Short mmCIF file of all heavy atoms in Angstrom, two decimals:
data_model
loop_
_atom_site.label_atom_id
_atom_site.label_comp_id
_atom_site.label_asym_id
_atom_site.label_seq_id
_atom_site.Cartn_x
_atom_site.Cartn_y
_atom_site.Cartn_z
N MET A 556 23.30 -29.00 11.13
CA MET A 556 23.63 -29.33 9.76
C MET A 556 24.09 -28.05 9.07
O MET A 556 23.45 -27.01 9.17
CB MET A 556 22.40 -29.91 9.08
CG MET A 556 22.60 -30.11 7.63
SD MET A 556 21.31 -30.97 6.71
CE MET A 556 19.83 -30.60 7.51
N CYS A 557 25.18 -28.14 8.37
CA CYS A 557 25.69 -27.01 7.59
C CYS A 557 25.06 -27.02 6.22
O CYS A 557 24.79 -28.06 5.65
CB CYS A 557 27.19 -27.11 7.42
SG CYS A 557 28.10 -26.74 8.91
N LEU A 558 24.83 -25.86 5.69
CA LEU A 558 24.37 -25.74 4.32
C LEU A 558 25.32 -24.81 3.60
O LEU A 558 25.06 -23.64 3.41
CB LEU A 558 22.93 -25.23 4.26
CG LEU A 558 22.32 -25.29 2.87
CD1 LEU A 558 22.19 -26.75 2.43
CD2 LEU A 558 20.99 -24.64 2.83
N VAL A 559 26.47 -25.36 3.24
CA VAL A 559 27.47 -24.65 2.48
C VAL A 559 27.42 -25.19 1.07
O VAL A 559 27.26 -26.38 0.86
CB VAL A 559 28.87 -24.84 3.11
CG1 VAL A 559 29.93 -24.07 2.36
CG2 VAL A 559 28.86 -24.45 4.57
N ARG A 560 27.56 -24.33 0.10
CA ARG A 560 27.41 -24.78 -1.29
C ARG A 560 28.40 -25.86 -1.67
O ARG A 560 28.10 -26.73 -2.47
CB ARG A 560 27.56 -23.61 -2.24
CG ARG A 560 26.36 -22.74 -2.23
CD ARG A 560 26.45 -21.75 -3.34
NE ARG A 560 25.49 -20.70 -3.08
CZ ARG A 560 25.43 -19.61 -3.77
NH1 ARG A 560 26.28 -19.41 -4.75
NH2 ARG A 560 24.54 -18.71 -3.50
N ARG A 561 29.59 -25.84 -1.11
CA ARG A 561 30.55 -26.87 -1.48
C ARG A 561 30.19 -28.23 -0.90
O ARG A 561 30.70 -29.24 -1.35
CB ARG A 561 31.95 -26.45 -1.08
CG ARG A 561 32.15 -26.35 0.41
CD ARG A 561 33.60 -26.05 0.74
NE ARG A 561 33.69 -25.76 2.15
CZ ARG A 561 33.96 -24.59 2.65
NH1 ARG A 561 34.20 -23.58 1.84
NH2 ARG A 561 34.01 -24.39 3.94
N ASN A 562 29.31 -28.26 0.10
CA ASN A 562 28.86 -29.53 0.67
C ASN A 562 27.65 -30.08 -0.08
O ASN A 562 27.15 -31.14 0.29
CB ASN A 562 28.49 -29.37 2.14
CG ASN A 562 29.70 -29.13 3.00
OD1 ASN A 562 30.82 -29.39 2.60
ND2 ASN A 562 29.48 -28.61 4.19
N LEU A 563 27.17 -29.39 -1.08
CA LEU A 563 25.98 -29.81 -1.80
C LEU A 563 26.35 -30.47 -3.11
O LEU A 563 27.30 -30.06 -3.77
CB LEU A 563 25.08 -28.60 -2.09
CG LEU A 563 24.53 -27.84 -0.89
CD1 LEU A 563 23.76 -26.64 -1.37
CD2 LEU A 563 23.66 -28.72 -0.05
N ASP A 564 25.58 -31.48 -3.48
CA ASP A 564 25.77 -32.06 -4.80
C ASP A 564 25.07 -31.16 -5.82
O ASP A 564 24.33 -30.25 -5.45
CB ASP A 564 25.23 -33.49 -4.84
CG ASP A 564 23.75 -33.59 -4.55
OD1 ASP A 564 23.22 -32.68 -3.91
OD2 ASP A 564 23.13 -34.59 -4.96
N PRO A 565 25.32 -31.35 -7.10
CA PRO A 565 24.75 -30.45 -8.11
C PRO A 565 23.22 -30.39 -8.10
O PRO A 565 22.64 -29.32 -8.32
CB PRO A 565 25.26 -31.01 -9.43
CG PRO A 565 26.49 -31.74 -9.08
CD PRO A 565 26.27 -32.28 -7.71
N LYS A 566 22.57 -31.51 -7.82
CA LYS A 566 21.11 -31.50 -7.81
C LYS A 566 20.58 -30.67 -6.64
O LYS A 566 19.61 -29.92 -6.78
CB LYS A 566 20.59 -32.92 -7.73
CG LYS A 566 19.14 -33.05 -8.06
CD LYS A 566 18.75 -34.49 -8.22
CE LYS A 566 17.35 -34.59 -8.73
NZ LYS A 566 16.95 -35.97 -8.97
N ALA A 567 21.22 -30.77 -5.48
CA ALA A 567 20.81 -29.98 -4.32
C ALA A 567 21.06 -28.50 -4.56
O ALA A 567 20.29 -27.65 -4.12
CB ALA A 567 21.54 -30.45 -3.07
N ARG A 568 22.13 -28.17 -5.27
CA ARG A 568 22.39 -26.77 -5.60
C ARG A 568 21.30 -26.20 -6.50
O ARG A 568 20.89 -25.06 -6.35
CB ARG A 568 23.74 -26.63 -6.32
CG ARG A 568 24.90 -26.77 -5.41
CD ARG A 568 26.18 -26.55 -6.17
NE ARG A 568 27.29 -27.10 -5.41
CZ ARG A 568 28.40 -27.52 -5.93
NH1 ARG A 568 28.60 -27.45 -7.22
NH2 ARG A 568 29.35 -28.01 -5.16
N ARG A 569 20.85 -27.02 -7.45
CA ARG A 569 19.75 -26.57 -8.31
C ARG A 569 18.47 -26.36 -7.52
O ARG A 569 17.74 -25.39 -7.75
CB ARG A 569 19.52 -27.57 -9.44
CG ARG A 569 20.50 -27.39 -10.55
CD ARG A 569 20.25 -28.35 -11.64
NE ARG A 569 21.30 -29.36 -11.45
CZ ARG A 569 21.31 -30.56 -11.96
NH1 ARG A 569 20.33 -30.96 -12.70
NH2 ARG A 569 22.30 -31.38 -11.73
N PHE A 570 18.19 -27.28 -6.58
CA PHE A 570 17.01 -27.11 -5.73
C PHE A 570 17.10 -25.83 -4.92
O PHE A 570 16.13 -25.08 -4.80
CB PHE A 570 16.82 -28.29 -4.79
CG PHE A 570 16.17 -29.48 -5.40
CD1 PHE A 570 16.77 -30.72 -5.34
CD2 PHE A 570 14.95 -29.38 -6.04
CE1 PHE A 570 16.16 -31.83 -5.89
CE2 PHE A 570 14.33 -30.47 -6.59
CZ PHE A 570 14.95 -31.71 -6.52
N LEU A 571 18.26 -25.56 -4.37
CA LEU A 571 18.45 -24.35 -3.57
C LEU A 571 18.32 -23.09 -4.42
O LEU A 571 17.67 -22.12 -4.01
CB LEU A 571 19.82 -24.38 -2.88
CG LEU A 571 20.13 -23.26 -1.91
CD1 LEU A 571 19.16 -23.28 -0.74
CD2 LEU A 571 21.55 -23.35 -1.43
N ALA A 572 18.89 -23.11 -5.61
CA ALA A 572 18.80 -21.95 -6.50
C ALA A 572 17.36 -21.70 -6.95
O ALA A 572 16.88 -20.57 -6.96
CB ALA A 572 19.70 -22.15 -7.71
N PHE A 573 16.66 -22.78 -7.31
CA PHE A 573 15.27 -22.62 -7.74
C PHE A 573 14.38 -22.17 -6.58
O PHE A 573 13.48 -21.35 -6.75
CB PHE A 573 14.75 -23.92 -8.35
CG PHE A 573 13.45 -23.76 -9.07
CD1 PHE A 573 13.38 -22.98 -10.21
CD2 PHE A 573 12.30 -24.36 -8.60
CE1 PHE A 573 12.17 -22.81 -10.87
CE2 PHE A 573 11.09 -24.20 -9.25
CZ PHE A 573 11.03 -23.43 -10.40
N GLY A 574 14.65 -22.67 -5.37
CA GLY A 574 13.90 -22.23 -4.20
C GLY A 574 14.12 -20.76 -3.90
O GLY A 574 13.18 -20.03 -3.58
N ASN A 575 15.37 -20.31 -4.01
CA ASN A 575 15.66 -18.89 -3.79
C ASN A 575 15.02 -18.02 -4.87
O ASN A 575 14.56 -16.91 -4.59
CB ASN A 575 17.16 -18.66 -3.74
CG ASN A 575 17.77 -19.17 -2.46
OD1 ASN A 575 17.10 -19.26 -1.43
ND2 ASN A 575 19.04 -19.51 -2.51
N LEU A 576 15.01 -18.51 -6.10
CA LEU A 576 14.37 -17.76 -7.19
C LEU A 576 12.87 -17.63 -6.96
O LEU A 576 12.30 -16.55 -7.11
CB LEU A 576 14.65 -18.45 -8.52
CG LEU A 576 14.05 -17.79 -9.74
CD1 LEU A 576 14.74 -16.45 -10.00
CD2 LEU A 576 14.18 -18.70 -10.94
N CYS A 577 12.22 -18.73 -6.56
CA CYS A 577 10.78 -18.68 -6.27
C CYS A 577 10.49 -17.75 -5.11
O CYS A 577 9.50 -17.02 -5.13
CB CYS A 577 10.25 -20.08 -5.96
SG CYS A 577 10.13 -21.17 -7.37
N LEU A 578 11.35 -17.76 -4.10
CA LEU A 578 11.17 -16.87 -2.96
C LEU A 578 11.29 -15.41 -3.37
O LEU A 578 10.46 -14.57 -2.99
CB LEU A 578 12.20 -17.20 -1.88
CG LEU A 578 12.13 -16.38 -0.60
CD1 LEU A 578 10.83 -16.65 0.14
CD2 LEU A 578 13.32 -16.68 0.27
N ALA A 579 12.29 -15.10 -4.17
CA ALA A 579 12.47 -13.71 -4.61
C ALA A 579 11.31 -13.24 -5.48
O ALA A 579 10.81 -12.12 -5.30
CB ALA A 579 13.79 -13.59 -5.37
N VAL A 580 10.87 -14.08 -6.40
CA VAL A 580 9.75 -13.68 -7.26
C VAL A 580 8.46 -13.57 -6.46
O VAL A 580 7.67 -12.64 -6.65
CB VAL A 580 9.60 -14.68 -8.43
CG1 VAL A 580 8.33 -14.41 -9.21
CG2 VAL A 580 10.79 -14.59 -9.35
N GLY A 581 8.24 -14.49 -5.52
CA GLY A 581 7.04 -14.44 -4.71
C GLY A 581 6.97 -13.22 -3.81
O GLY A 581 5.90 -12.67 -3.57
N LEU A 582 8.13 -12.77 -3.33
CA LEU A 582 8.14 -11.60 -2.47
C LEU A 582 8.08 -10.29 -3.24
O LEU A 582 7.58 -9.29 -2.73
CB LEU A 582 9.39 -11.61 -1.58
CG LEU A 582 9.40 -12.70 -0.50
CD1 LEU A 582 10.72 -12.66 0.26
CD2 LEU A 582 8.23 -12.56 0.45
N THR A 583 8.59 -10.26 -4.46
CA THR A 583 8.57 -9.03 -5.25
C THR A 583 7.37 -8.95 -6.19
O THR A 583 7.20 -7.92 -6.86
CB THR A 583 9.86 -8.88 -6.07
OG1 THR A 583 9.99 -10.00 -6.93
CG2 THR A 583 11.06 -8.75 -5.18
N LEU A 584 6.56 -9.97 -6.23
CA LEU A 584 5.41 -9.98 -7.12
C LEU A 584 4.42 -8.85 -6.86
O LEU A 584 3.88 -8.29 -7.81
CB LEU A 584 4.71 -11.34 -7.07
CG LEU A 584 3.79 -11.70 -8.21
CD1 LEU A 584 4.57 -11.70 -9.51
CD2 LEU A 584 3.17 -13.05 -7.98
N PRO A 585 4.16 -8.44 -5.61
CA PRO A 585 3.24 -7.30 -5.42
C PRO A 585 3.74 -6.01 -6.05
O PRO A 585 2.95 -5.17 -6.45
CB PRO A 585 3.16 -7.16 -3.90
CG PRO A 585 3.55 -8.46 -3.36
CD PRO A 585 4.50 -9.06 -4.33
N TYR A 586 5.06 -5.85 -6.13
CA TYR A 586 5.60 -4.63 -6.73
C TYR A 586 5.64 -4.71 -8.25
O TYR A 586 5.58 -3.69 -8.92
CB TYR A 586 7.02 -4.37 -6.20
CG TYR A 586 7.04 -4.23 -4.70
CD1 TYR A 586 7.63 -5.21 -3.91
CD2 TYR A 586 6.45 -3.15 -4.09
CE1 TYR A 586 7.63 -5.09 -2.53
CE2 TYR A 586 6.45 -3.02 -2.71
CZ TYR A 586 7.04 -3.99 -1.94
OH TYR A 586 7.04 -3.89 -0.60
N LEU A 587 5.76 -5.92 -8.78
CA LEU A 587 5.84 -6.09 -10.23
C LEU A 587 4.48 -6.12 -10.90
O LEU A 587 4.36 -5.69 -12.04
CB LEU A 587 6.60 -7.39 -10.56
CG LEU A 587 8.04 -7.47 -10.07
CD1 LEU A 587 8.61 -8.84 -10.37
CD2 LEU A 587 8.88 -6.39 -10.70
N GLY A 588 3.47 -6.64 -10.24
CA GLY A 588 2.17 -6.79 -10.88
C GLY A 588 1.08 -5.99 -10.21
O GLY A 588 0.06 -6.54 -9.80
N LYS A 589 1.26 -4.69 -10.11
CA LYS A 589 0.28 -3.85 -9.42
C LYS A 589 -1.08 -3.85 -10.12
O LYS A 589 -2.10 -4.03 -9.50
CB LYS A 589 0.81 -2.43 -9.29
CG LYS A 589 1.91 -2.31 -8.30
CD LYS A 589 2.26 -0.88 -8.03
CE LYS A 589 3.42 -0.84 -7.08
NZ LYS A 589 3.37 0.24 -6.17
N GLY A 590 -1.12 -3.65 -11.40
CA GLY A 590 -2.39 -3.60 -12.12
C GLY A 590 -3.06 -4.96 -12.19
O GLY A 590 -4.28 -5.08 -12.08
N PHE A 591 -2.27 -6.02 -12.34
CA PHE A 591 -2.82 -7.36 -12.43
C PHE A 591 -3.43 -7.79 -11.10
O PHE A 591 -4.47 -8.44 -11.06
CB PHE A 591 -1.74 -8.35 -12.85
CG PHE A 591 -2.25 -9.74 -13.03
CD1 PHE A 591 -2.95 -10.08 -14.17
CD2 PHE A 591 -2.03 -10.72 -12.08
CE1 PHE A 591 -3.43 -11.36 -14.36
CE2 PHE A 591 -2.50 -11.99 -12.25
CZ PHE A 591 -3.21 -12.31 -13.39
N GLY A 592 -2.79 -7.41 -10.00
CA GLY A 592 -3.29 -7.77 -8.68
C GLY A 592 -4.61 -7.10 -8.35
O GLY A 592 -5.41 -7.64 -7.58
N LEU A 593 -4.87 -5.95 -8.90
CA LEU A 593 -6.14 -5.26 -8.65
C LEU A 593 -7.29 -5.86 -9.46
O LEU A 593 -8.41 -5.91 -8.99
CB LEU A 593 -5.99 -3.77 -8.97
CG LEU A 593 -5.04 -2.99 -8.08
CD1 LEU A 593 -4.89 -1.57 -8.58
CD2 LEU A 593 -5.51 -3.01 -6.65
N ARG A 594 -6.97 -6.33 -10.67
CA ARG A 594 -8.02 -6.89 -11.52
C ARG A 594 -8.35 -8.33 -11.19
O ARG A 594 -9.49 -8.75 -11.30
CB ARG A 594 -7.61 -6.79 -12.99
CG ARG A 594 -7.75 -5.38 -13.52
CD ARG A 594 -7.33 -5.31 -14.94
NE ARG A 594 -5.94 -4.81 -14.90
CZ ARG A 594 -5.03 -5.02 -15.81
NH1 ARG A 594 -5.32 -5.71 -16.87
NH2 ARG A 594 -3.83 -4.54 -15.68
N HIS A 595 -7.37 -9.11 -10.77
CA HIS A 595 -7.57 -10.53 -10.47
C HIS A 595 -6.94 -10.86 -9.10
O HIS A 595 -5.90 -11.52 -9.03
CB HIS A 595 -6.92 -11.40 -11.54
CG HIS A 595 -7.37 -11.08 -12.93
ND1 HIS A 595 -8.61 -11.44 -13.39
CD2 HIS A 595 -6.76 -10.42 -13.94
CE1 HIS A 595 -8.73 -11.03 -14.64
NE2 HIS A 595 -7.62 -10.40 -14.99
N PRO A 596 -7.56 -10.44 -8.00
CA PRO A 596 -6.90 -10.62 -6.71
C PRO A 596 -6.78 -12.09 -6.28
O PRO A 596 -5.80 -12.46 -5.65
CB PRO A 596 -7.78 -9.83 -5.74
CG PRO A 596 -9.09 -9.69 -6.42
CD PRO A 596 -8.82 -9.72 -7.89
N GLU A 597 -7.76 -12.93 -6.59
CA GLU A 597 -7.70 -14.33 -6.17
C GLU A 597 -6.58 -15.07 -6.89
O GLU A 597 -5.81 -15.81 -6.28
CB GLU A 597 -9.03 -15.05 -6.43
CG GLU A 597 -10.18 -14.55 -5.59
CD GLU A 597 -10.88 -13.37 -6.23
OE1 GLU A 597 -10.65 -13.09 -7.43
OE2 GLU A 597 -11.67 -12.71 -5.53
N LEU A 598 -6.46 -14.85 -8.18
CA LEU A 598 -5.40 -15.48 -8.96
C LEU A 598 -4.03 -14.98 -8.52
O LEU A 598 -3.07 -15.76 -8.41
CB LEU A 598 -5.61 -15.21 -10.45
CG LEU A 598 -4.63 -15.85 -11.41
CD1 LEU A 598 -4.74 -17.36 -11.35
CD2 LEU A 598 -4.89 -15.35 -12.81
N PHE A 599 -3.95 -13.70 -8.25
CA PHE A 599 -2.69 -13.09 -7.81
C PHE A 599 -2.25 -13.65 -6.47
O PHE A 599 -1.08 -14.03 -6.29
CB PHE A 599 -2.88 -11.58 -7.74
CG PHE A 599 -1.62 -10.81 -7.49
CD1 PHE A 599 -0.67 -10.70 -8.47
CD2 PHE A 599 -1.42 -10.19 -6.28
CE1 PHE A 599 0.50 -9.98 -8.25
CE2 PHE A 599 -0.27 -9.47 -6.05
CZ PHE A 599 0.68 -9.37 -7.04
N ASP A 600 -3.16 -13.75 -5.50
CA ASP A 600 -2.82 -14.31 -4.20
C ASP A 600 -2.48 -15.79 -4.30
O ASP A 600 -1.59 -16.28 -3.60
CB ASP A 600 -3.98 -14.11 -3.22
CG ASP A 600 -4.12 -12.67 -2.77
OD1 ASP A 600 -3.14 -11.90 -2.91
OD2 ASP A 600 -5.22 -12.31 -2.29
N GLY A 601 -3.19 -16.49 -5.15
CA GLY A 601 -2.89 -17.91 -5.35
C GLY A 601 -1.51 -18.12 -5.94
O GLY A 601 -0.78 -19.04 -5.54
N LEU A 602 -1.13 -17.29 -6.88
CA LEU A 602 0.19 -17.40 -7.50
C LEU A 602 1.29 -17.07 -6.49
O LEU A 602 2.31 -17.76 -6.44
CB LEU A 602 0.28 -16.45 -8.70
CG LEU A 602 1.59 -16.47 -9.48
CD1 LEU A 602 1.83 -17.84 -10.09
CD2 LEU A 602 1.55 -15.41 -10.56
N ARG A 603 1.07 -16.05 -5.69
CA ARG A 603 2.05 -15.72 -4.65
C ARG A 603 2.19 -16.85 -3.65
O ARG A 603 3.30 -17.21 -3.25
CB ARG A 603 1.63 -14.44 -3.92
CG ARG A 603 1.90 -13.20 -4.70
CD ARG A 603 1.55 -11.96 -3.93
NE ARG A 603 2.28 -11.91 -2.67
CZ ARG A 603 1.83 -11.34 -1.56
NH1 ARG A 603 0.65 -10.77 -1.56
NH2 ARG A 603 2.55 -11.33 -0.48
N GLY A 604 1.07 -17.43 -3.22
CA GLY A 604 1.12 -18.54 -2.29
C GLY A 604 1.80 -19.76 -2.87
O GLY A 604 2.55 -20.46 -2.19
N LEU A 605 1.54 -20.02 -4.15
CA LEU A 605 2.19 -21.15 -4.82
C LEU A 605 3.70 -20.95 -4.88
O LEU A 605 4.46 -21.88 -4.58
CB LEU A 605 1.63 -21.30 -6.23
CG LEU A 605 2.30 -22.38 -7.08
CD1 LEU A 605 1.91 -23.75 -6.58
CD2 LEU A 605 1.93 -22.21 -8.53
N LEU A 606 4.14 -19.75 -5.23
CA LEU A 606 5.58 -19.50 -5.31
C LEU A 606 6.25 -19.59 -3.94
O LEU A 606 7.35 -20.14 -3.82
CB LEU A 606 5.83 -18.13 -5.94
CG LEU A 606 5.59 -18.04 -7.44
CD1 LEU A 606 5.65 -16.59 -7.89
CD2 LEU A 606 6.58 -18.89 -8.19
N LEU A 607 5.61 -19.07 -2.92
CA LEU A 607 6.20 -19.16 -1.58
C LEU A 607 6.22 -20.61 -1.08
O LEU A 607 7.19 -21.04 -0.45
CB LEU A 607 5.44 -18.27 -0.61
CG LEU A 607 5.58 -16.77 -0.85
CD1 LEU A 607 4.72 -15.98 0.12
CD2 LEU A 607 7.03 -16.34 -0.75
N GLY A 608 5.18 -21.36 -1.37
CA GLY A 608 5.16 -22.78 -1.00
C GLY A 608 6.20 -23.58 -1.74
O GLY A 608 6.86 -24.46 -1.17
N LEU A 609 6.37 -23.30 -3.03
CA LEU A 609 7.42 -23.98 -3.80
C LEU A 609 8.81 -23.65 -3.27
O LEU A 609 9.68 -24.52 -3.22
CB LEU A 609 7.32 -23.60 -5.28
CG LEU A 609 6.24 -24.28 -6.09
CD1 LEU A 609 6.20 -23.70 -7.49
CD2 LEU A 609 6.46 -25.77 -6.14
N SER A 610 9.01 -22.40 -2.88
CA SER A 610 10.32 -22.03 -2.35
C SER A 610 10.61 -22.77 -1.05
O SER A 610 11.72 -23.27 -0.86
CB SER A 610 10.41 -20.53 -2.13
OG SER A 610 9.62 -20.12 -1.04
N ILE A 611 9.63 -22.90 -0.18
CA ILE A 611 9.83 -23.65 1.06
C ILE A 611 10.14 -25.11 0.76
O ILE A 611 11.06 -25.70 1.33
CB ILE A 611 8.58 -23.52 1.95
CG1 ILE A 611 8.45 -22.10 2.48
CG2 ILE A 611 8.64 -24.51 3.12
CD1 ILE A 611 7.13 -21.81 3.16
N ALA A 612 9.40 -25.71 -0.16
CA ALA A 612 9.61 -27.12 -0.50
C ALA A 612 10.99 -27.35 -1.11
O ALA A 612 11.69 -28.30 -0.74
CB ALA A 612 8.52 -27.58 -1.46
N PHE A 613 11.41 -26.48 -2.04
CA PHE A 613 12.70 -26.68 -2.68
C PHE A 613 13.86 -26.43 -1.73
O PHE A 613 14.87 -27.14 -1.78
CB PHE A 613 12.83 -25.79 -3.91
CG PHE A 613 12.11 -26.32 -5.11
CD1 PHE A 613 11.12 -25.59 -5.72
CD2 PHE A 613 12.43 -27.55 -5.64
CE1 PHE A 613 10.45 -26.07 -6.82
CE2 PHE A 613 11.77 -28.05 -6.74
CZ PHE A 613 10.78 -27.31 -7.34
N ILE A 614 13.74 -25.46 -0.85
CA ILE A 614 14.83 -25.20 0.11
C ILE A 614 14.94 -26.34 1.12
O ILE A 614 16.04 -26.78 1.46
CB ILE A 614 14.63 -23.83 0.78
CG1 ILE A 614 14.88 -22.72 -0.24
CG2 ILE A 614 15.56 -23.66 1.97
CD1 ILE A 614 14.54 -21.34 0.22
N PHE A 615 13.81 -26.87 1.59
CA PHE A 615 13.87 -28.02 2.49
C PHE A 615 14.43 -29.26 1.79
O PHE A 615 15.13 -30.06 2.40
CB PHE A 615 12.51 -28.33 3.09
CG PHE A 615 12.16 -27.45 4.26
CD1 PHE A 615 10.86 -27.04 4.47
CD2 PHE A 615 13.11 -27.03 5.16
CE1 PHE A 615 10.52 -26.23 5.53
CE2 PHE A 615 12.80 -26.22 6.23
CZ PHE A 615 11.50 -25.82 6.42
N THR A 616 14.13 -29.40 0.51
CA THR A 616 14.70 -30.52 -0.24
C THR A 616 16.21 -30.37 -0.36
O THR A 616 16.95 -31.35 -0.26
CB THR A 616 14.06 -30.60 -1.63
OG1 THR A 616 12.65 -30.73 -1.48
CG2 THR A 616 14.58 -31.79 -2.41
N ALA A 617 16.68 -29.15 -0.56
CA ALA A 617 18.13 -28.92 -0.61
C ALA A 617 18.76 -29.23 0.74
O ALA A 617 19.85 -29.81 0.80
CB ALA A 617 18.42 -27.49 -1.02
N PHE A 618 18.11 -28.85 1.84
CA PHE A 618 18.61 -29.21 3.17
C PHE A 618 18.69 -30.72 3.33
O PHE A 618 19.65 -31.25 3.87
CB PHE A 618 17.71 -28.65 4.26
CG PHE A 618 17.95 -27.22 4.60
CD1 PHE A 618 16.91 -26.33 4.68
CD2 PHE A 618 19.23 -26.76 4.86
CE1 PHE A 618 17.12 -25.01 5.00
CE2 PHE A 618 19.46 -25.44 5.18
CZ PHE A 618 18.39 -24.57 5.25
N ARG A 619 17.68 -31.40 2.88
CA ARG A 619 17.61 -32.86 3.04
C ARG A 619 18.68 -33.56 2.21
O ARG A 619 19.24 -34.56 2.63
CB ARG A 619 16.23 -33.34 2.63
CG ARG A 619 15.97 -34.76 2.95
CD ARG A 619 14.50 -35.07 2.80
NE ARG A 619 14.30 -36.47 2.98
CZ ARG A 619 13.92 -37.30 2.02
NH1 ARG A 619 13.66 -36.83 0.82
NH2 ARG A 619 13.77 -38.57 2.25
N ARG A 620 18.99 -33.03 1.04
CA ARG A 620 19.97 -33.66 0.16
C ARG A 620 21.41 -33.29 0.52
O ARG A 620 22.34 -33.89 -0.01
CB ARG A 620 19.70 -33.29 -1.28
CG ARG A 620 18.43 -33.87 -1.83
CD ARG A 620 18.30 -33.63 -3.30
NE ARG A 620 19.42 -34.16 -4.05
CZ ARG A 620 19.49 -35.41 -4.51
NH1 ARG A 620 18.52 -36.24 -4.28
NH2 ARG A 620 20.54 -35.80 -5.20
N SER A 621 21.60 -32.32 1.39
CA SER A 621 22.96 -31.89 1.72
C SER A 621 23.65 -32.93 2.58
O SER A 621 23.03 -33.66 3.35
CB SER A 621 22.94 -30.55 2.44
OG SER A 621 22.35 -30.69 3.70
N ARG A 622 24.96 -32.98 2.44
CA ARG A 622 25.75 -33.88 3.28
C ARG A 622 25.96 -33.23 4.64
O ARG A 622 26.05 -32.02 4.76
CB ARG A 622 27.10 -34.16 2.62
CG ARG A 622 26.94 -35.00 1.38
CD ARG A 622 28.29 -35.27 0.79
NE ARG A 622 28.44 -34.31 -0.31
CZ ARG A 622 29.58 -33.83 -0.73
NH1 ARG A 622 30.69 -34.20 -0.17
NH2 ARG A 622 29.63 -32.97 -1.71
N ARG A 623 26.08 -34.03 5.65
CA ARG A 623 26.25 -33.49 7.00
C ARG A 623 27.69 -33.00 7.19
O ARG A 623 28.62 -33.54 6.63
CB ARG A 623 25.93 -34.53 8.05
CG ARG A 623 24.49 -34.94 8.00
CD ARG A 623 24.18 -35.88 9.15
NE ARG A 623 22.82 -36.34 9.05
CZ ARG A 623 21.81 -35.78 9.67
NH1 ARG A 623 22.02 -34.75 10.45
NH2 ARG A 623 20.60 -36.26 9.55
N CYS A 624 27.85 -32.00 8.05
CA CYS A 624 29.17 -31.46 8.35
C CYS A 624 29.83 -32.32 9.42
O CYS A 624 29.16 -32.95 10.23
CB CYS A 624 29.06 -30.04 8.88
SG CYS A 624 28.56 -28.87 7.66
N GLY A 625 31.13 -32.27 9.42
CA GLY A 625 31.86 -32.93 10.49
C GLY A 625 31.76 -32.14 11.78
O GLY A 625 31.30 -31.00 11.82
N ASP A 626 32.23 -32.72 12.87
CA ASP A 626 32.14 -32.05 14.17
C ASP A 626 33.01 -30.80 14.23
O ASP A 626 32.72 -29.86 14.95
CB ASP A 626 32.56 -33.01 15.28
CG ASP A 626 31.56 -34.15 15.44
OD1 ASP A 626 30.39 -33.93 15.08
OD2 ASP A 626 31.96 -35.22 15.90
N ARG A 627 34.09 -30.77 13.46
CA ARG A 627 34.99 -29.62 13.51
C ARG A 627 34.41 -28.39 12.82
O ARG A 627 34.81 -27.28 13.10
CB ARG A 627 36.30 -29.97 12.87
CG ARG A 627 37.03 -31.06 13.61
CD ARG A 627 38.30 -31.40 12.92
NE ARG A 627 37.96 -31.90 11.59
CZ ARG A 627 38.84 -32.19 10.67
NH1 ARG A 627 40.12 -32.01 10.89
NH2 ARG A 627 38.47 -32.64 9.49
N GLN A 628 33.47 -28.57 11.91
CA GLN A 628 32.96 -27.44 11.13
C GLN A 628 31.75 -26.76 11.75
O GLN A 628 31.29 -25.77 11.26
CB GLN A 628 32.57 -27.91 9.73
CG GLN A 628 33.76 -28.41 8.94
CD GLN A 628 33.32 -28.91 7.59
OE1 GLN A 628 32.13 -28.90 7.28
NE2 GLN A 628 34.27 -29.34 6.79
N ILE A 629 31.23 -27.26 12.82
CA ILE A 629 30.02 -26.70 13.41
C ILE A 629 30.32 -25.41 14.12
O ILE A 629 31.24 -25.16 14.74
CB ILE A 629 29.34 -27.71 14.36
CG1 ILE A 629 28.87 -28.88 13.55
CG2 ILE A 629 28.18 -27.07 15.10
CD1 ILE A 629 28.23 -29.98 14.35
#
């Protein structure tokens, strides 16, 4: 299955963009919240896990909503 932006409908594009945003924030959160992570480690880890889980869910939803490619485009 191809995942090219032009093969996606607008709703799938939003899912993909939001999933990428959650992934970027979840991965950069340790660098952005150094003091907060030391004071509240359980909340910090939970927030990171939530963001990474949301990114996986939204990206898989974008894959599911995408149209399939033809045989020539593979």
